[in-house]
Amino acid sequence: MKNLILNSQDTAQMVVDYINASNAVCSYAMSIDTTQLPALVVPPANYGDFVQTFSKAKLDVMVWIDEVIPDLNLIPAAFISYNALFQQQIRAIKGYLVQLKSSPADPAILQDIKSALNSLITEAGACGQTVKSLDDAISAYQGNIAPDASSLNQLCSQITAAEDVDEQSIAQLNAVLANLQDIVNDRNKLITLNTLANITEGIFVAAVGVGVGVIFTGTAGVIVGIGFGVGSAILTTLEPVGKDIDYQQTLEDIQTDMNNVNTEIGLINSTVGLLQNLNAQFVAIVAQSGAAETNIQIVLKFWQKLQSDAGQIVTDLDNMLDADSIDQAAADLALALAAWDEIQSFMQSIAGITYQMDDQVTMAPSVESMISA
């Protein structure tokens, strides 16, 4: 019966790893969604094709938030549901073991134990199927966004080649955007087992769009829509970072750097550089969704192994429960019950996570004043 004993922390960590991977996808999805490509007076070559492809790609990207995220709670719910049956059936088996000590090898008692185990196998299969449906959804998601990323990459390469941009100028812009990303990353928090173990109130994952404006005046107008968005998936019980006064000042400083760079390198270099960065966002979201799929498949394999291990016990049961091994089997079951109670405690905390998606992009105050001017 030792195969029924699970490491509760490893099991919970497995689910936490998936949640963190999912949040990374959510972050990039918000980043992409906060970016609006404007109509330029003098657009670079193939810009129209890029805008059209990007518009379709945004819809595909947001499927993660609209359809995958809402199914997140199916995972902890599966564990909680399974544990309810596990506690019931394992306690019943412990009672059968007491009977078996008085009537060793009694076929009727052995059959009762097998029936209890088979009910757990069936339930594990149902839980696995729930996870499989989520795995299928993630796989379909990748199947949609990967071609989008490929198309945008080709168009971005064509635009870069056609405009013969200055790579040093784009490197200056990248440095500003990297600074913005570092600031946001510093405020991002991963979900940890310690966090879950010390929850005293409801928690939420707040996805906050953060961006910088690309500001030119004159015939080009004030271009804010092409502002580069940086999605932020933050585990917090506090208000979203956009309401942090110090954070607002930091964004203002970065926006000032962006204004200076834009003026220095010019509209075309800025535009192409931002398109290259947006292209990189798509490369990243494809990679992050792949990581999420890897993690959800680990959860799926967990349920498959649970079925397999219980099935092996059923197969070997007649030889396992001789008079000398019944006490050890009962001790193993006691440990299994305790482990699953710990797992349920973790999963109840995970099930309490809710998501808050902020559809307002946090921009520096100077950009907001120019938009409203």
Side-chain angles (χ1 to χ4, degrees):
M1 299 284 183
K2 289 186 183 297
N3 284 351
L4 296 176
I5 305 172
L6 301 179
N7 185 309
S8 58
Q9 290 218 341
D10 286 353
T11 302
Q13 186 64 56
M14 171 186 68
V15 177
V16 165
D17 288 343
Y18 167 71
I19 293 173
N20 285 325
S22 175
N23 286 348
V25 180
C26 182
S27 175
Y28 281 104
M30 288 293 291
S31 171
I32 291 166
D33 190 54
T34 59
T35 302
Q36 301 292 328
L37 299 180
L40 301 178
V41 176
V42 184
N46 296 312
Y47 181 72
D49 290 338
F50 191 99
V51 171
Q52 186 175 10
T53 303
F54 175 69
S55 297
K56 186 263 182 187
K58 277 181 68 172
L59 296 176
D60 291 338
V61 160
M62 289 304 289
V63 167
W64 191 274
I65 290 174
D66 296 336
E67 298 181 17
V68 178
I69 288 294
D71 286 341
L72 175 68
N73 284 340
L74 293 177
I75 298 177
F79 281 90
I80 293 169
S81 172
Y82 183 84
N83 183 49
L85 184 64
F86 187 85
Q87 297 289 329
Q88 178 189 60
Q89 297 300 332
I90 295 302
R91 285 192 169 88
I93 292 173
K94 289 185 69 177
Y96 296 142
L97 292 179
V98 172
Q99 298 174 29
L100 202 60
K101 287 193 71 172
S102 302
S103 305
D106 186 315
I109 299 174
L110 290 172
Q111 184 55 49
D112 286 339
I113 295 174
K114 290 178 182 179
S115 295
L117 290 169
N118 280 326
S119 69
L120 293 178
I121 293 170
T122 299
E123 180 66 14
C127 292
Q129 190 56 47
T130 296
V131 176
K132 181 64 168 60
S133 66
L134 187 52
D135 177 42
D136 290 343
I138 295 173
S139 180
Y141 180 80
Q142 275 202 301
N144 287 328
I145 66 170
D148 292 336
S150 178
S151 297
L152 288 170
N153 181 60
Q154 291 176 12
L155 288 167
C156 189
S157 296
Q158 292 170 10
I159 292 171
T160 301
E163 296 300 328
D164 192 26
V165 294
D166 178 29
E167 292 299 332
Q168 288 187 335
S169 294
I170 291 178
Q172 289 179 259
L173 181 142
N174 286 339
V176 176
L177 296 176
N179 188 20
L180 176 63
Q181 186 69 65
D182 287 344
I183 295 299
V184 172
N185 288 346
D186 186 57
R187 282 165 169 76
N188 283 350
K189 291 180 175 62
L190 294 175
I191 296 175
T192 66
L193 292 182
N194 185 59
T195 304
L196 294 173
N198 291 282
I199 291 174
T200 57
E201 56 184 292
I203 62 175
F204 62 85
V205 176
V208 183
V210 183
V212 288
V214 184
I215 301 174
F216 290 94
T217 57
T219 57
V222 178
I223 303 172
V224 176
I226 202 172
F228 182 74
V230 181
S232 179
I234 304 162
L235 177 70
T236 177
T237 56
L238 306 175
E239 295 198 55
V241 293
K243 297 182 180 180
D244 182 333
I245 295 176
D246 292 337
Y247 188 55
Q248 284 286 330
Q249 182 57 52
T250 302
L251 285 181
E252 187 63 65
D253 294 340
I254 292 173
Q255 183 62 55
T256 298
D257 291 340
M258 176 62 84
N259 295 345
N260 293 336
V261 167
N262 291 338
T263 300
E264 180 179 345
I265 70 176
L267 177 60
I268 291 298
N269 283 324
S270 289
T271 301
V272 174
L274 285 164
L275 293 183
Q276 289 180 358
N277 275 276
L278 184 57
N279 180 57
Q281 293 279 313
F282 274 90
V283 172
I285 198 171
V286 171
Q288 292 296 335
S289 63
E293 184 171 26
T294 296
N295 279 280
I296 199 65
Q297 286 174 352
I298 291 172
V299 179
L300 178 58
K301 288 176 182 177
F302 167 88
W303 288 108
Q304 292 169 341
K305 186 176 186 302
L306 211 61
Q307 281 185 282
S308 176
D309 287 348
Q312 192 61 51
I313 293 173
V314 171
T315 300
D316 298 340
L317 192 65
D318 292 349
N319 297 324
M320 286 173 57
L321 296 179
D322 56 36
D324 296 329
S325 62
I326 291 176
D327 288 341
Q328 181 60 54
D332 292 343
L333 293 181
L335 292 174
L337 287 170
W340 268 95
D341 267 344
E342 290 180 0
I343 291 170
Q344 168 146 333
S345 178
F346 281 119
M347 295 305 159
Q348 285 174 330
S349 296
I350 293 172
I353 295 175
T354 59
Y355 280 78
Q356 175 179 311
M357 303 298 172
D358 192 342
D359 59 3
Q360 297 297 313
V361 183
T362 300
M363 308 285 282
S366 62
V367 177
E368 294 176 350
S369 64
M370 292 193 73
I371 293 173
S372 59

mmCIF file of all heavy atoms in Angstrom, residues 1 12 31 63 68 97-98 103 134 136 159-160 216 220 245 249 254 272 289 293 305 314 327 331 351:
data_model
loop_
_atom_site.group_PDB
_atom_site.id
_atom_site.type_symbol
_atom_site.label_atom_id
_atom_site.label_comp_id
_atom_site.label_asym_id
_atom_site.label_seq_id
_atom_site.Cartn_x
_atom_site.Cartn_y
_atom_site.Cartn_z
ATOM 1 N N MET A 1 0.821 -1.219 0.000
ATOM 2 C CA MET A 1 0.000 0.000 0.000
ATOM 3 C C MET A 1 0.863 1.281 0.000
ATOM 4 O O MET A 1 0.344 2.379 0.003
ATOM 5 C CB MET A 1 -0.921 0.019 1.233
ATOM 6 C CG MET A 1 -1.892 -1.144 1.297
ATOM 7 S SD MET A 1 -3.264 -0.946 0.157
ATOM 8 C CE MET A 1 -4.245 -2.390 0.544
ATOM 9 N N ALA A 12 1.710 19.571 -4.304
ATOM 10 C CA ALA A 12 1.250 20.956 -4.359
ATOM 11 C C ALA A 12 2.176 21.803 -5.233
ATOM 12 O O ALA A 12 1.719 22.653 -6.003
ATOM 13 C CB ALA A 12 1.171 21.540 -2.951
ATOM 14 N N SER A 31 0.445 42.127 -22.043
ATOM 15 C CA SER A 31 1.409 43.011 -22.699
ATOM 16 C C SER A 31 1.018 43.258 -24.148
ATOM 17 O O SER A 31 0.996 44.401 -24.623
ATOM 18 C CB SER A 31 2.809 42.383 -22.632
ATOM 19 O OG SER A 31 3.719 43.089 -23.428
ATOM 20 N N VAL A 63 -7.304 34.577 -25.927
ATOM 21 C CA VAL A 63 -8.030 33.350 -25.587
ATOM 22 C C VAL A 63 -7.521 32.788 -24.260
ATOM 23 O O VAL A 63 -8.283 32.177 -23.499
ATOM 24 C CB VAL A 63 -7.896 32.310 -26.724
ATOM 25 C CG1 VAL A 63 -8.361 30.936 -26.272
ATOM 26 C CG2 VAL A 63 -8.701 32.766 -27.938
ATOM 27 N N VAL A 68 -8.713 30.005 -21.000
ATOM 28 C CA VAL A 68 -7.850 29.091 -20.245
ATOM 29 C C VAL A 68 -7.826 29.433 -18.762
ATOM 30 O O VAL A 68 -7.977 28.559 -17.905
ATOM 31 C CB VAL A 68 -6.413 29.085 -20.818
ATOM 32 C CG1 VAL A 68 -5.507 28.172 -19.994
ATOM 33 C CG2 VAL A 68 -6.432 28.614 -22.274
ATOM 34 N N LEU A 97 -9.261 -4.356 6.574
ATOM 35 C CA LEU A 97 -8.008 -4.971 7.038
ATOM 36 C C LEU A 97 -8.159 -5.539 8.446
ATOM 37 O O LEU A 97 -7.578 -6.592 8.764
ATOM 38 C CB LEU A 97 -6.868 -3.943 7.001
ATOM 39 C CG LEU A 97 -6.417 -3.467 5.614
ATOM 40 C CD1 LEU A 97 -5.311 -2.431 5.747
ATOM 41 C CD2 LEU A 97 -5.935 -4.648 4.769
ATOM 42 N N VAL A 98 -8.920 -4.829 9.264
ATOM 43 C CA VAL A 98 -9.189 -5.348 10.611
ATOM 44 C C VAL A 98 -9.930 -6.689 10.507
ATOM 45 O O VAL A 98 -9.600 -7.652 11.208
ATOM 46 C CB VAL A 98 -10.022 -4.336 11.429
ATOM 47 C CG1 VAL A 98 -10.465 -4.970 12.758
ATOM 48 C CG2 VAL A 98 -9.211 -3.062 11.689
ATOM 49 N N SER A 103 -9.856 -13.055 9.562
ATOM 50 C CA SER A 103 -10.149 -14.054 8.515
ATOM 51 C C SER A 103 -9.150 -13.890 7.369
ATOM 52 O O SER A 103 -9.499 -13.377 6.291
ATOM 53 C CB SER A 103 -11.577 -13.891 8.000
ATOM 54 O OG SER A 103 -12.517 -13.935 9.041
ATOM 55 N N LEU A 134 -7.935 20.440 -20.282
ATOM 56 C CA LEU A 134 -7.173 21.673 -20.175
ATOM 57 C C LEU A 134 -5.898 21.587 -21.000
ATOM 58 O O LEU A 134 -5.503 22.552 -21.678
ATOM 59 C CB LEU A 134 -6.846 21.951 -18.709
ATOM 60 C CG LEU A 134 -6.193 23.301 -18.371
ATOM 61 C CD1 LEU A 134 -6.991 24.456 -18.953
ATOM 62 C CD2 LEU A 134 -6.044 23.443 -16.862
ATOM 63 N N ASP A 136 -5.556 19.850 -23.699
ATOM 64 C CA ASP A 136 -5.992 19.991 -25.096
ATOM 65 C C ASP A 136 -6.218 21.461 -25.451
ATOM 66 O O ASP A 136 -5.880 21.906 -26.559
ATOM 67 C CB ASP A 136 -7.284 19.202 -25.340
ATOM 68 C CG ASP A 136 -7.062 17.691 -25.308
ATOM 69 O OD1 ASP A 136 -5.902 17.252 -25.419
ATOM 70 O OD2 ASP A 136 -8.058 16.957 -25.140
ATOM 71 N N ILE A 159 10.093 44.414 -42.886
ATOM 72 C CA ILE A 159 10.059 45.848 -42.586
ATOM 73 C C ILE A 159 11.457 46.344 -42.211
ATOM 74 O O ILE A 159 11.913 47.393 -42.673
ATOM 75 C CB ILE A 159 9.059 46.137 -41.444
ATOM 76 C CG1 ILE A 159 7.627 45.879 -41.924
ATOM 77 C CG2 ILE A 159 9.199 47.576 -40.948
ATOM 78 C CD1 ILE A 159 6.580 45.928 -40.820
ATOM 79 N N THR A 160 12.148 45.574 -41.372
ATOM 80 C CA THR A 160 13.494 45.963 -40.944
ATOM 81 C C THR A 160 14.438 46.074 -42.138
ATOM 82 O O THR A 160 15.212 47.037 -42.261
ATOM 83 C CB THR A 160 14.050 44.937 -39.938
ATOM 84 O OG1 THR A 160 13.176 44.863 -38.791
ATOM 85 C CG2 THR A 160 15.451 45.326 -39.472
ATOM 86 N N PHE A 216 5.609 61.756 -30.738
ATOM 87 C CA PHE A 216 6.156 62.662 -31.735
ATOM 88 C C PHE A 216 5.115 63.745 -31.989
ATOM 89 O O PHE A 216 3.912 63.489 -31.909
ATOM 90 C CB PHE A 216 6.461 61.928 -33.047
ATOM 91 C CG PHE A 216 7.621 60.990 -32.962
ATOM 92 C CD1 PHE A 216 7.422 59.649 -32.677
ATOM 93 C CD2 PHE A 216 8.914 61.445 -33.161
ATOM 94 C CE1 PHE A 216 8.490 58.766 -32.591
ATOM 95 C CE2 PHE A 216 9.991 60.575 -33.079
ATOM 96 C CZ PHE A 216 9.792 59.242 -32.803
ATOM 97 N N ALA A 220 3.429 63.887 -37.663
ATOM 98 C CA ALA A 220 3.244 62.516 -37.174
ATOM 99 C C ALA A 220 2.212 62.456 -36.068
ATOM 100 O O ALA A 220 1.708 61.388 -35.735
ATOM 101 C CB ALA A 220 4.571 61.950 -36.684
ATOM 102 N N ILE A 245 2.564 55.368 -5.926
ATOM 103 C CA ILE A 245 3.062 56.691 -6.304
ATOM 104 C C ILE A 245 4.519 56.618 -6.751
ATOM 105 O O ILE A 245 4.914 57.231 -7.750
ATOM 106 C CB ILE A 245 2.895 57.682 -5.133
ATOM 107 C CG1 ILE A 245 1.403 57.901 -4.837
ATOM 108 C CG2 ILE A 245 3.579 59.022 -5.464
ATOM 109 C CD1 ILE A 245 1.142 58.783 -3.643
ATOM 110 N N GLN A 249 6.216 57.555 -10.508
ATOM 111 C CA GLN A 249 7.369 58.417 -10.768
ATOM 112 C C GLN A 249 8.428 57.675 -11.584
ATOM 113 O O GLN A 249 9.057 58.256 -12.474
ATOM 114 C CB GLN A 249 7.976 58.912 -9.449
ATOM 115 C CG GLN A 249 9.154 59.860 -9.632
ATOM 116 C CD GLN A 249 8.802 61.080 -10.472
ATOM 117 O OE1 GLN A 249 7.819 61.766 -10.187
ATOM 118 N NE2 GLN A 249 9.594 61.352 -11.512
ATOM 119 N N ILE A 254 11.181 56.769 -16.889
ATOM 120 C CA ILE A 254 11.409 55.920 -18.065
ATOM 121 C C ILE A 254 10.800 56.564 -19.301
ATOM 122 O O ILE A 254 11.385 56.530 -20.394
ATOM 123 C CB ILE A 254 10.815 54.515 -17.837
ATOM 124 C CG1 ILE A 254 11.608 53.785 -16.747
ATOM 125 C CG2 ILE A 254 10.817 53.693 -19.131
ATOM 126 C CD1 ILE A 254 11.014 52.460 -16.333
ATOM 127 N N VAL A 272 10.210 50.824 -36.107
ATOM 128 C CA VAL A 272 10.740 49.496 -36.401
ATOM 129 C C VAL A 272 11.257 48.831 -35.135
ATOM 130 O O VAL A 272 11.047 47.627 -34.914
ATOM 131 C CB VAL A 272 11.852 49.573 -37.470
ATOM 132 C CG1 VAL A 272 12.509 48.204 -37.657
ATOM 133 C CG2 VAL A 272 11.284 50.075 -38.797
ATOM 134 N N SER A 289 3.773 29.575 -23.272
ATOM 135 C CA SER A 289 2.632 28.657 -23.352
ATOM 136 C C SER A 289 3.127 27.220 -23.471
ATOM 137 O O SER A 289 2.481 26.284 -22.993
ATOM 138 C CB SER A 289 1.712 29.027 -24.529
ATOM 139 O OG SER A 289 2.386 28.906 -25.772
ATOM 140 N N GLU A 293 2.225 24.196 -21.013
ATOM 141 C CA GLU A 293 1.766 22.887 -21.476
ATOM 142 C C GLU A 293 2.614 21.772 -20.859
ATOM 143 O O GLU A 293 2.089 20.727 -20.456
ATOM 144 C CB GLU A 293 1.828 22.798 -22.995
ATOM 145 C CG GLU A 293 1.267 21.474 -23.509
ATOM 146 C CD GLU A 293 1.107 21.446 -25.020
ATOM 147 O OE1 GLU A 293 1.833 22.169 -25.712
ATOM 148 O OE2 GLU A 293 0.251 20.695 -25.495
ATOM 149 N N LYS A 305 -0.461 8.151 -13.206
ATOM 150 C CA LYS A 305 0.345 7.290 -12.316
ATOM 151 C C LYS A 305 -0.481 6.837 -11.119
ATOM 152 O O LYS A 305 -0.349 5.709 -10.638
ATOM 153 C CB LYS A 305 1.589 8.033 -11.834
ATOM 154 C CG LYS A 305 2.569 7.163 -11.025
ATOM 155 C CD LYS A 305 3.816 7.911 -10.670
ATOM 156 C CE LYS A 305 4.836 6.989 -9.993
ATOM 157 N NZ LYS A 305 4.334 6.338 -8.779
ATOM 158 N N VAL A 314 -4.295 -3.567 -6.869
ATOM 159 C CA VAL A 314 -5.411 -4.499 -7.088
ATOM 160 C C VAL A 314 -4.888 -5.820 -7.649
ATOM 161 O O VAL A 314 -5.282 -6.911 -7.201
ATOM 162 C CB VAL A 314 -6.456 -3.885 -8.043
ATOM 163 C CG1 VAL A 314 -7.497 -4.937 -8.445
ATOM 164 C CG2 VAL A 314 -7.144 -2.692 -7.383
ATOM 165 N N ASP A 327 -0.740 -5.322 9.166
ATOM 166 C CA ASP A 327 -0.480 -4.162 10.026
ATOM 167 C C ASP A 327 0.305 -3.080 9.281
ATOM 168 O O ASP A 327 0.041 -1.882 9.443
ATOM 169 C CB ASP A 327 0.295 -4.594 11.278
ATOM 170 C CG ASP A 327 -0.577 -5.384 12.251
ATOM 171 O OD1 ASP A 327 -1.818 -5.287 12.136
ATOM 172 O OD2 ASP A 327 -0.019 -6.087 13.110
ATOM 173 N N ALA A 331 -0.762 0.803 8.431
ATOM 174 C CA ALA A 331 0.084 1.955 8.739
ATOM 175 C C ALA A 331 0.319 2.807 7.490
ATOM 176 O O ALA A 331 0.302 4.045 7.552
ATOM 177 C CB ALA A 331 1.422 1.483 9.318
ATOM 178 N N ALA A 351 -7.513 27.035 -4.813
ATOM 179 C CA ALA A 351 -8.861 27.242 -5.341
ATOM 180 C C ALA A 351 -9.394 28.624 -4.982
ATOM 181 O O ALA A 351 -10.309 29.137 -5.640
ATOM 182 C CB ALA A 351 -9.803 26.162 -4.804
#
